Structures are given as structure tokens and as C-alpha cells.
Amino acid sequence: MSHIVIDARESGTSTGRYIDKLVEFLHVLKPKHRFTIITKPSRIDYIRKIAPSFEVVETSVKEFTFAEQLQLKKEIEVLKPDLVHFPMVQQPIFYRGEVVTTMQDLTTLRFRNPVKNPMVFWVKQQVYKLVNIRAAHKSRALITPTEFVKHDVASYCRVPLDKITVTLEAADVMPAGSAPYAPVEGKPFIMYIGRPTPHKNLGRLIEAHQKLRAKHPDLLLVLAGKKDANYELHEKTVQEKGYEGVIFTDFIPDDQFRWLLEHCQAYCFPSLSEGFGLPGLEAMLHGAPVASSNATCLPEVYGSAAHYFDPYDVDDITRAINDILSSPELRKKLIDLGYKQAKKYSWKRMAQQTLEVYEKALKKA
């Protein structure tokens, strides 16, 4: 029986949903191996709840810190694992044991963050590039969420394609029962939820919405997500340009997110770069027609179930959303296709595929 350690320090975050689902469904599979999950103090009880037969070990080491390179390395070595899975690329790069790494995407390497100190961010970006390349080469096997990312990683990090396995992620049905979101109840609206970082391309979506109001004067745009410095920049732009009908919700719980998806005229995903594009699948699963960017992996994940646009072209974004608003037939078609597309994905299958990666890596060790 081999001992496998999983780094679950990002459990409970938006990017950590992949980790939580991996742990949960690995436990469902009842693997023959011994599993130890490393996580932060606030997630100990949650991990024990979803995976009661797995050992859970607490760590205070944060991601992207110097302590990650030294202290976490020592904590892992004490556990004496046969294999460690880092579900995110950040890891002790000089750990010499057998490793599997999930590389979600290379977006952070290609986009700046305007709310960060430019020089400090550039330095961190260079370090992150080295971490990606080092992790790709030292790992026994790599996992990516899509074929697009697989080929991107192979090219950028110069590793063979047969070292990389694609394990598709999945969307979850959200809890029901929320009261309507009052600012848009009974009104037509389109929406986006998520982070507002530059690659999410919200500036062009906001401009497209203003163009759409020429034909649809009552149309609102809901931008849902916890307010941070980037959201504040967008809010400032909206105010300075006198744009109307744009609503910044701040954080909303999953049940209210579900209500918005079930009542929006379209879910709009203008991203310039994604590793998987989970929000669009979540929208499809809850009956929202999706207007999506045609960039990176998104056509691979959404197939024929989304209505695509060029994310660099405001007029084309406007055109695609207007197509949905103006055609009940297209809207119904997208809703039907979207539900079927979302149902193709399975967290349990992802966990099974990941377990197979572990098995192969252990045999090669």
C-alpha cells in the first residue's frame, strides 16, 4: 500500500474547488492506498467530513511564500510519502520525492495586474515562470484540465505530451431557496460572476453592454463577485464615463448566484484566457444561455452549447449577446444544448482519471 500526500492548502477558495472535489471523490472510490491531506487549520473539519478515512494534517504555510520552499518541504518529508500531488503549481521546488503536479493554466504568466506594484509584480512573475518550468520538469507526471492547456504547457515548458494527462473538471448544482436578488427582480439583465482581473476582460463587456442599451434600454449588467481593488477600478470607470445599468453585487452566496443564473437573459464570459472555464458550465447547468469568448480552451469545453464572439472586439461581443436577446429560438437552443453539455462532465470521473495517474507514477518510481 503506497502513501500518497495531497497538498490541499487552497481548499475552500474558488480555485480550490478542484482540490475539494478531488479529495471528496477519491474517497468515494475507496482506493487501496493510504492518503494524507495537508490543509490549513480552517479547513481541517471540512476535509475530515468529506473524506473521513483519509488522514488530515494541518499546516500554517501559505502559498507563494518563502516558507513554502523550506517549512512545507520539511513537513512533507516527515510524512515519508511515496508520492505527493500538488494540485496547483506552487510547491517546494527542491523537494526530491516523487511528485504529480496539476497545472491549471499559464494565464498568470501572461497578464499583468494593474492594482499591484508593477516592479514587484514583474519580479514575482519571473519567479513564477521558473516555478512552472521547474515543476513541469521535476514532476513524474502532469495533469491539466483541458487539451488546450496540455499543449500550452508542453510547448512553454518543453516537456513531452505523453507526460501530461487531461482530467476534465465539472460543474455542481447549487443550493436552491434564495430570495430574488432585489436590484434586478422583474428586470431584464445579463451577467458575469467571478474575478475582475485583466484577463477576464470586463472592460470590453461593460462597453458592449452600453452599446446593447441602444436596442435594449432597460437591460442591466450584473457583475457578481467579491469587491476588490480591480472591481473598484471598473466601478470607477463606470462612474467617470456615466455608464448606466451596471450593478456590482459584491460577494453573493451560491443560492443567490443560482437565482441570477436562472433568471438572466444571458451569461456572458468574455475571458481572454482560461484553463477550463467552469463558470460557463455552471451557467449551462442552471439554465442560462451562454455567450462566450472563443479564446483558449473555451470552445473545447463548451462545444456547440455556447454562442461565441471575439473577446478583443467590442462590436462582436455586442453582436453575440444581441443575437441571444433578440432570438427566443436561439436562446432556447442554447439552454437545451448547455444543459446536455454540462452533464457530460463528472467529478467522479476526474478523480478516477487522477487515481490512474497516481498508479502509473508509482509504477515508474
Side-chain angles (χ1 to χ4, degrees), residues 169-283:
E169 298 172 16
D172 298 301
V173 176
M174 297 177 191
S178 172
Y181 183 66
V184 297
E185 185 178 8
K187 301 173 184 177
F189 67 95
I190 56 176
M191 68 170 293
Y192 163 87
I193 188 168
R195 298 170 64 198
T197 41
H199 73 277
K200 296 299 185 180
N201 199 29
L202 297 190
R204 290 189 180 94
L205 176 60
I206 292 169
E207 289 182 38
H209 168 252
Q210 295 303 296
K211 286 177 173 285
L212 284 163
R213 282 173 66 89
K215 289 186 177 180
H216 310 274
D218 297 326
L219 184 69
L220 302 175
L221 169 61
V222 175
L223 299 176
K226 185 177 180 180
K227 285 189 181 180
D228 61 9
N230 275 300
Y231 259 130
E232 289 172 1
L233 283 179
H234 287 300
E235 203 164 13
K236 182 180 179 181
T237 298
V238 166
Q239 292 169 353
E240 289 177 347
K241 293 189 174 183
Y243 289 164
E244 296 182 349
V246 182
I247 298 172
F248 295 87
T249 70
D250 206 350
F251 170 79
I252 57 171
D254 281 349
D255 56 351
Q256 198 137 56
F257 176 27
R258 174 172 172 166
W259 185 92
L260 287 169
L261 289 175
E262 291 175 340
H263 292 83
C264 69
Q265 298 300 302
Y267 180 83
C268 306
F269 203 49
S271 183
L272 303 175
S273 179
E274 293 293 323
F276 185 72
L278 187 56
L281 275 190
E282 290 174 330

Side-chain angles (χ1 to χ4, degrees), residues 296-309:
T296 61
C297 69
L298 297 177
E300 175 188 342
V301 175
Y302 301 157
S304 61
H307 197 51
Y308 295 103
F309 53 76

Side-chain angles (χ1 to χ4, degrees), residues 141-166:
L142 299 172
I143 294 171
T144 63
T146 55
E147 288 289 337
F148 174 86
V149 178
K150 175 179 177 175
H151 286 80
D152 198 21
V153 166
S155 175
Y156 185 87
C157 298
R158 297 185 180 180
V159 295
L161 284 169
D162 60 9
K163 186 177 186 176
I164 308 172
T165 300
V166 174

